[in-house]
Amino acid sequence: MADKAMDRIAKATPPGIAKRVRGLSDRTIAWIFVAPSIFLLLAVNIFPLIWTIRLSFTNFRVNRINADVKWVGLRNYERILTDPDIWQTMQATAHFLIWTIFFQVLIGFTLAYLINKKFRGNDMWTTIIVLPMMLSPAVVGNFWTFLYQPQIGLFNYVVSFFSGVDPASFSMIGSVNLAPWAIVIVDTWMWTPFVMLICLAGLRSIPGSIYEAAECDRASKWRQFWTITIPMVLPFLMMAVLFRGIENFKMFDLVVQLTGGGPGSATEVTSINLKREAFEKWRTGYASAYAVILFVTIFGLASIYVKALNKVKER
Amino acid sequence: MKTSNLMMATAMATISAFAATNASAETMTLCWAAWDPANALVELSKDFEGKTGVDMEFEFVPWPNFADRMLNELNSGGKLCDLMIGDSQWIGGAAENGQYLKLNDFFDANGITMDDFLPATVTGYAEWPKGTPNYWALPAYADVVGWTYRKDWFSRPELQKEFKDKYGYDLGIPADLSQLKDIAEFFQGRDIDGKTVYGAAIYTERGSEGITMGVTNALYNYGFEYGNPENPYAELDGYVNSEGAIAGLEFYKALYDVGTPPGSSDWYMSEDIDAYKSGQVALQMNFAFIWPGVNADPNVGGDRTGYFANPPGPAGHYAQLGGQGISVVANTEHKDAALAYIKWFAQPEIQARWTEMGGASAMRAVVEDPAFPDAQPYNKAFLESMAIVKDFWAEPSYASLLLAMQDRVHKYVVAGQGTAKEALDGLVKDWTEVFEDEGKI
């Protein structure tokens, strides 16, 4: 039927056009289809990248268009790599990244494991658990700012209730030591459900027959968990870590809303620092160098991780 | 007349009327921050609209996003704003980058003289380079950091006695900054009417300009200077980080440590207002623009609140200048209308109405009127404050200078990292780097 329709179209095509189309090779036609995408990719990804690399060797400031742009060589890179403040923001980012992923994977997997058991109302619990993930980070940040208030916030009262510490005696977002943990708590509260959903998909993809075979072989539950469940869920877990890692490396809105990067620079993650350099201090050249360094770092880490992920999937 | 002719005539008349309306009505946009004085300006501007036929539109942005939004607008050559009431620190950048129109010739042609305005506001809001008669704005809103205090708490006999026993002098308006700290410490964690209250709400905000606008009120008065006045860019060392400046920074940290509410680690104007109006604190540092609102507040207004200028320190008596000038954006398509607005706004009677309606005129005819100090309970403190103002850098690179100070000071005062000397030495290094990049040294 479809062939007949194609034939009809071919016959109906005016000879001039048909001749022109016949003159095109498959390769040319392929290029015609792909060219717009390649052009867009070059325009919105590759060109800005090359332009950023070029700017990173200059003292260009986007708010001083009339000023002379000087080639400064590697000075921007040297300044960034020898600036202790930049290393502190990297440390803050690493702290945030490592602990959020650790807690989200641990709690997310545990929740998925529990939800996966058949019990009455588990669908309702799944819905309740995923609610925080549906909120806007700005709203969550604002909401938790109130919860963390020493005098009126619920969080301090809960801590006080269990520990007996005076609620007004500590400030989660005002203390250098506590503020990084305040952000970890909120991000974990918000994004653990995402990890849980991925883990749940992994758990539900394991065929029941494997467990039945293990039962026949008299494998203990613990043994089944370590030799069946964990290896089969591992690729899903690694995907979750990849998604959350990428998201949290560029974390911005939640931190801005909660602490603005403070106190001091205790929670100033790289994305906030980069934004301040680029769009508040207007040091475009410097910020470009900073962005290039981050790009290389992320690209390197992500490549290593994806290789490891592929190895796990191949097993 | 045939029906078709009648319809044609009606259509022509409608088109003509519409075209005529479009030809005469000009619409111009004024950009400013979203706050009470801006609302007063909308009301005031109706007079201008009535007299000129120009329609005014207003673009008001909340303070936390004001600089970001408006500087983006200026830097990108946007055409949203015809008139801009921009922060005093923007003058240098806006002048050097050709974003504001220079107004000298216009002022001369229209008999507007800067001698009619408070000298500090002319320097702060209009001049670039500072100290030269090059004007890029008309002083529009005079503002300065000062203090409000709970007069009703201060007047309680039992508190007065306890304070005198403890500190050896009367509880009242502090004579200097060290007394201010004593008072804040005295009220910290105190039970008043069954509620725990605290000493002072001060500026600690980190993201934009908050802690800088607060800490300078201590730094100036202890001996901090922006550099050698003879050689301001090259000689920062020994001025920015002088012994006095270090003592001033240590004072501000001590005030933060002993006399501020828990959790006030990122507070600026609105948080201070909230803390004061909700009866959390005895003292509030804030720009004077909030005083009319405090005076009218049902909880703390009227006789319950007093106002005073920033107290002196051991090395001088200064207060941080706030406020803004009104400028014509260089690429406006309504230059004549924008200049007409400036001319209208510069009239003494309009300036007087501006102050009555909730604005704050910088015109001497208004603030030096003998009736002015007693017209409102806060006017005297306002005049005293405006006489001692000092401003932050207004350099084109002010944002880099400001954010460096924000970081250094916040790390020491709020986060308790390092020493005051390390913070100010670091600031000298940062600022030197900025001026080197700018080619100033």
Side-chain angles (χ1 to χ4, degrees):
Chain A
M1 190 75 181
D3 285 347
K4 280 180 184 170
M6 291 294 283
D7 289 345
R8 276 203 307 277
I9 292 167
K11 278 177 191 166
T13 306
I17 293 173
K19 193 179 175 186
R20 281 204 298 279
V21 172
R22 273 200 303 276
L24 295 176
S25 67
D26 287 352
R27 197 179 177 80
T28 310
I29 291 170
W31 271 109
I32 289 170
F33 280 112
V34 172
S37 305
I38 289 180
F39 176 76
L40 270 179
L41 192 71
L42 286 171
V44 301
N45 280 350
I46 308 300
F47 172 73
L49 179 65
I50 293 167
W51 196 249
T52 302
I53 293 170
R54 183 187 166 276
L55 288 180
S56 72
F57 297 108
T58 69
N59 67 347
F60 178 61
R61 283 168 180 265
V62 78
N63 66 332
R64 311 287 300 278
I65 292 164
N66 300 330
D68 287 342
V69 179
K70 285 185 194 148
W71 188 264
V72 295
L74 290 171
R75 193 179 73 181
N76 289 330
Y77 288 92
E78 188 194 328
R79 275 189 182 172
I80 291 165
L81 294 172
T82 55
D83 185 347
D85 291 343
I86 299 270
W87 288 106
Q88 196 175 341
T89 64
M90 298 272 189
Q91 252 179 329
T93 309
H95 177 279
F96 175 63
L97 205 61
I98 290 166
W99 286 109
T100 50
I101 288 175
F102 174 75
F103 286 123
Q104 286 170 25
V105 166
L106 187 73
I107 302 169
F109 180 78
T110 309
L111 286 174
Y113 194 75
L114 294 173
I115 289 283
N116 195 37
K117 305 283 175 200
K118 286 191 174 62
F119 65 92
R120 202 183 152 106
N122 66 350
D123 286 345
M124 185 193 74
W125 281 110
T126 308
T127 309
I128 290 171
I129 290 169
V130 300
L131 278 178
M133 182 175 103
M134 298 175 186
L135 300 170
S136 144
V139 172
V140 170
N142 218 0
F143 171 65
W144 275 87
T145 306
F146 285 110
L147 289 183
Y148 281 143
Q149 286 299 317
Q151 291 137 64
I152 55 165
L154 189 64
F155 185 88
N156 281 31
Y157 275 98
V158 171
V159 172
S160 166
F161 182 79
F162 287 109
S163 65
V165 176
D166 176 11
S169 68
F170 68 99
S171 168
M172 283 300 289
I173 51 180
S175 151
V176 174
N177 298 324
L178 297 177
W181 294 106
I183 295 169
V184 169
I185 290 170
V186 179
D187 194 75
T188 302
W189 174 81
M190 190 172 177
W191 289 109
T192 293
F194 176 76
V195 179
M196 185 200 80
L197 288 179
I198 292 180
C199 291
L200 198 57
L203 288 169
R204 289 190 177 162
S205 71
I206 303 172
S209 57
I210 299 179
Y211 289 109
E212 284 162 18
E215 292 279 348
C216 291
D217 290 342
R218 299 193 171 193
S220 68
K221 289 286 178 197
W222 184 242
R223 179 95 177 153
Q224 288 176 32
F225 179 77
W226 277 110
T227 55
I228 300 170
T229 310
I230 291 289
M232 296 198 78
V233 175
L234 194 59
F236 290 86
L237 266 177
M238 288 186 76
M239 286 300 290
V241 169
L242 183 67
F243 289 145
R244 292 308 307 143
I246 291 169
E247 276 295 307
N248 280 356
F249 199 92
K250 60 186 187 186
M251 171 58 69
F252 185 83
D253 36 16
L254 192 64
V255 182
V256 166
Q257 199 65 42
L258 275 169
T259 63
S265 52
T267 60
E268 182 154 314
V269 289
T270 47
S271 55
I272 294 178
N273 195 237
L274 179 58
K275 187 255 181 183
R276 285 162 75 87
E277 293 295 342
F279 301 111
E280 290 179 28
K281 294 183 186 174
W282 299 104
R283 300 166 79 188
T284 316
Y286 181 90
S288 299
Y290 198 168
V292 169
I293 290 172
L294 289 182
F295 172 74
V296 170
T297 310
I298 296 170
F299 191 76
L301 290 175
S303 301
I304 295 167
Y305 190 85
V306 169
K307 247 183 190 172
L309 178 62
N310 287 337
K311 270 190 183 167
V312 169
K313 277 160 84 181
E314 283 165 12
R315 278 198 313 209
Chain B
M1 194 181 269
K2 281 183 182 175
T3 311
S4 60
N5 285 351
L6 183 65
M7 283 174 69
M8 181 66 81
T10 309
M12 289 302 289
T14 309
I15 290 165
S16 307
F18 183 71
T21 309
N22 270 357
S24 66
E26 187 172 7
T27 303
M28 160 173 87
T29 304
L30 185 152
C31 296
W32 199 11
W35 57 335
D36 288 345
N39 300 330
L41 191 63
V42 173
E43 284 303 307
L44 184 72
S45 298
K46 285 177 181 166
D47 177 74
F48 173 76
E49 290 177 309
K51 282 178 179 158
T52 61
V54 175
D55 287 335
M56 295 290 295
E57 288 188 351
F58 298 89
E59 181 74 19
F60 297 148
V61 179
W63 273 112
N65 310 103
F66 178 56
D68 267 3
R69 173 74 184 88
M70 291 309 170
L71 289 176
N72 272 331
E73 186 63 28
L74 289 177
N75 290 328
S76 63
K79 292 191 180 294
L80 171 70
C81 311
D82 301 295
L83 286 162
M84 172 79 77
I85 305 189
D87 253 345
S88 54
Q89 298 97 319
W90 305 358
I91 284 284
E96 291 198 4
N97 296 324
Q99 292 160 345
Y100 287 167
L101 281 188
K102 191 173 179 184
L103 297 172
N104 286 52
D105 291 344
F106 169 73
F107 285 167
D108 291 343
N110 289 279
I112 299 169
T113 167
M114 288 295 106
D115 294 341
D116 288 345
F117 293 86
L118 293 172
T121 64
V122 175
T123 306
Y125 310 153
E127 284 178 0
W128 184 260
K130 295 293 173 197
T132 68
N134 295 287
Y135 305 119
W136 305 88
L138 181 88
Y141 191 90
D143 206 358
V144 59
V145 171
W147 294 83
T148 59
Y149 71 102
R150 288 299 297 267
K151 219 171 169 181
D152 52 342
W153 294 358
F154 277 43
S155 60
R156 293 187 181 200
E158 72 280 11
L159 294 182
Q160 286 184 333
K161 183 179 179 311
E162 192 184 333
F163 185 88
K164 178 115 189 206
D165 291 346
K166 190 172 178 187
Y167 295 101
Y169 58 92
D170 290 334
L171 176 61
I173 291 176
D176 57 32
L177 284 172
S178 79
Q179 287 192 5
L180 181 114
K181 184 167 76 94
D182 290 345
I183 295 168
E185 187 182 29
F186 177 74
F187 280 102
Q188 183 76 354
R190 183 165 290 275
D191 188 292
I192 291 185
D193 300 333
K195 186 178 168 187
T196 305
V197 304
Y198 300 94
I202 65 172
Y203 290 165
T204 56
E205 186 259 3
R206 176 185 182 276
S208 60
E209 58 171 24
I211 196 164
T212 301
M213 295 295 108
V215 76
T216 45
N217 294 284
L219 291 179
Y220 296 150
N221 296 350
Y222 274 82
F224 167 96
E225 286 187 71
Y226 285 105
N228 181 351
E230 305 299 318
N231 191 10
Y233 305 119
E235 282 186 56
L236 305 174
D237 198 22
Y239 293 88
V240 171
N241 55 353
S242 65
E243 289 300 318
I246 292 166
L249 188 54
E250 285 169 347
F251 164 82
Y252 201 74
K253 176 166 176 52
L255 177 62
Y256 174 73
D257 287 342
V258 304
T260 58
S264 60
S265 57
D266 198 23
W267 282 17
Y268 197 23
M269 297 179 266
S270 58
E271 289 83 3
D272 282 16
I273 294 170
D274 290 345
Y276 189 79
K277 286 187 173 177
S278 62
Q280 256 191 76
V281 289
L283 297 157
Q284 176 196 192
M285 161 191 274
N286 223 324
F287 283 109
F289 81 86
I290 65 134
W291 293 351
V294 169
N295 188 44
D297 188 83
N299 296 321
V300 297
D303 290 342
R304 280 166 285 197
T305 287
Y307 310 84
F308 61 90
N310 189 45
H317 193 191
Y318 301 98
Q320 176 60 48
L321 181 70
Q324 301 90 31
I326 183 167
S327 301
V328 178
V329 177
N331 60 352
T332 174
E333 288 169 353
H334 307 283
K335 184 178 162 188
D336 291 341
L339 289 171
Y341 188 89
I342 301 264
K343 187 180 173 185
W344 165 82
F345 190 64
Q347 298 172 89
E349 61 273 22
I350 299 297
Q351 289 285 312
R353 278 184 60 204
W354 172 224
T355 296
E356 281 166 24
M357 292 172 78
S361 172
M363 188 170 259
R364 295 172 71 164
V366 176
V367 297
E368 289 176 1
D369 185 313
F372 182 79
D374 299 322
Q376 296 292 346
Y378 42 79
N379 279 2
K380 195 165 161 285
F382 174 76
L383 283 180
E384 286 170 4
S385 299
M386 287 307 297
I388 56 169
V389 290
K390 213 175 202 183
D391 200 9
F392 189 75
W393 294 105
E395 290 292 315
S397 56
Y398 94 92
S400 296
L401 300 164
L402 178 65
L403 291 178
M405 185 157 184
Q406 287 284 108
D407 284 348
R408 296 285 180 187
V409 170
H410 199 272
K411 270 184 192 161
Y412 172 67
V413 172
V414 176
Q417 294 168 341
T419 64
K421 184 172 182 342
E422 284 167 358
L424 293 175
D425 286 348
L427 189 58
V428 169
K429 179 178 152 289
D430 294 344
W431 283 1
T432 303
E433 198 174 87
V434 172
F435 289 132
E436 279 172 358
D437 285 353
E438 291 281 300
K440 303 240 172 187
I441 48 177

